[in-house]
Amino acid sequence: METVAPSRLDRWLTAHLPDLSRNRVQKLIDWEYVTLNGTVCTNKKAAVKVGDAIAVTIPATKPLEVKAEAIPLDILYEDEHFVIVNKAAGMVVHPAPGNMNGTLVNALLAHCGDQLTGIGGVERPGIVHRLDKDTTGAIVVAKSELAHKELQAQMKAKTARREYLGVIHGVPATASGTVNAPIGRHPHDRKKQAIVPVQKGGREAVTHWQVVERLDNFTLIRFRLETGRTHQIRVHCLHMKHPMVGDPVYGVGRSVGVNLPGQALHAEKLTLRHPVTGKLVTAIAPLPPHFIKLLNVLHNRQQSG
């Protein structure tokens, strides 16, 4: 192995092992799987220069300590590298203490089986981004470390396009706009997010929105995410003084005559570059029945009024 200039060990390995993330490389160094000139090296900042001999051992992937569950999935796109699922309302994306079953990860472990090649040394589906429990629609999940790394890079670079449809209370004064307001943990309620200044721990959050249809005192809106903060659209709608219909956390608690599982928010369209071929992939998730029913009810009210 050769290099043209001295470099940090972890950076050099990341550049020469494109299938592995930098985090994964650093863990291999920490766990004594890397030798430099015949000696185990656990210093990720060690200098690498021309003529050095570097050896890396990639350990076998370990099974994820989460059980596979044969839960039906609505697949929008799939190949050997990643899968795009139309997530149902009520499904949590990732297992967590107190909620280890019935998640999207449980379902994908059963669906993908031996297609999962290992991410971070663990045989698991790679969560690239998340959707709230009651938000429906398109979510992409990687099957390999390479796909996971590339898809996350697209999310970070804002080249992956995520579009949502939602119904809000009230009618905005303009036909379109952008909310650029940092989001962080709510200062008094750990289960909620809020608009928090960057200097107090908030992170940049940008949501573009456009009115699709005005429905009396409700509005169907298309949202495009530039960032992906927890509860971003819901918090930004509240910030606009137009909370999401059916939102149990940030909503106004008024009934609209439809039994909704939660906020009326649907990730309708996901556009990204294939992590291996570079081709554009677009997945469109059809609206769930409860969302269609809500729109029908609001249309009927508008017509009868």
Side-chain angles (χ1 to χ4, degrees):
M1 290 185 177
E2 294 185 0
T3 185
V4 296
S7 175
R8 277 176 48 150
L9 178 61
D10 59 342
R11 291 175 182 167
W12 191 93
L13 285 173
T14 301
H16 288 77
L17 298 172
D19 285 0
L20 302 183
S21 66
R22 187 169 172 185
N23 180 260
R24 172 73 166 134
V25 164
Q26 290 177 337
K27 286 182 179 178
L28 290 174
I29 295 170
D30 289 340
W31 296 340
E32 302 184 354
Y33 283 110
V34 177
T35 63
L36 178 59
N37 297 321
T39 302
V40 170
C41 181
T42 58
N43 179 12
K44 57 180 175 287
K45 296 182 181 180
V48 175
K49 59 186 184 298
V50 174
D52 282 343
I54 302 170
V56 182
T57 300
I58 308 295
T61 56
K62 299 176 182 178
L64 183 65
E65 293 180 4
V66 174
K67 68 177 182 179
E69 297 180 56
I71 301 169
L73 291 172
D74 181 6
I75 305 296
L76 301 174
Y77 174 91
E78 183 175 19
D79 62 19
E80 66 269 33
H81 304 288
F82 67 97
V83 56
I84 301 177
V85 176
N86 181 15
K87 189 185 82 66
M91 176 177 272
V92 174
V93 171
H94 201 279
N99 192 19
M100 297 299 291
N101 301 317
T103 73
L104 181 60
V105 167
N106 294 108
L108 285 170
L109 283 171
H111 174 79
C112 296
D114 57 7
Q115 293 181 58
L116 299 174
T117 58
I119 297 168
V122 180
E123 188 178 357
R124 63 182 174 89
I127 302 303
V128 178
H129 63 120
R130 296 173 188 263
L131 293 178
D132 297 338
K133 177 182 176 181
D134 293 323
T135 298
T136 56
I139 179 170
V140 61
V141 182
K143 294 183 180 180
S144 68
E145 184 139 13
L146 172 62
H148 192 237
K149 178 181 175 182
E150 291 297 323
L151 292 170
Q152 281 193 324
Q154 290 184 44
M155 294 290 176
K156 185 175 181 180
K158 303 173 184 177
T159 55
R161 189 179 179 98
R162 289 170 286 171
E163 296 183 31
Y164 293 67
L165 285 175
V167 180
I168 61 171
H169 287 275
V171 179
T174 58
S176 62
T178 296
V179 180
N180 186 344
I183 291 176
R185 184 78 67 182
H186 193 288
H188 307 300
D189 188 339
R190 299 289 297 172
K191 294 182 179 179
K192 297 172 73 172
Q193 302 291 307
I195 303 302
V196 177
V198 172
Q199 55 268 33
K200 292 188 177 181
R203 300 174 69 191
E204 178 195 22
V206 180
T207 305
H208 304 285
W209 59 269
Q210 183 171 16
V211 171
V212 176
E213 187 177 10
R214 290 182 169 89
L215 300 161
D216 283 342
N217 198 36
F218 300 91
T219 308
L220 176 64
I221 298 260
R222 179 175 297 280
F223 301 95
R224 181 170 65 81
L225 287 183
E226 193 170 307
T227 54
R229 307 303 173 210
T230 301
H231 300 176
Q232 179 172 316
I233 293 175
R234 300 160 64 188
V235 172
H236 276 174
C237 283
L238 182 63
H239 182 64
M240 292 168 62
K241 297 182 172 56
H242 295 293
M244 191 78 56
V245 168
D247 194 326
V249 178
Y250 305 100
V252 294
R254 293 200 302 265
S255 172
V256 291
V258 178
N259 186 21
L260 298 172
Q263 61 275 359
L265 183 61
H266 177 69
E268 185 201 33
K269 189 176 181 180
L270 178 61
T271 304
L272 47 83
R273 292 281 175 189
H274 194 286
V276 175
T277 67
K279 291 182 179 179
L280 206 62
V281 176
T282 298
I284 297 177
L287 289 171
H290 68 265
F291 203 116
I292 294 172
K293 184 177 180 181
L294 172 64
L295 293 178
N296 288 338
V297 166
L298 295 179
H299 279 135
N300 291 338
R301 283 186 193 171
Q302 188 176 44
Q303 292 167 4
S304 63

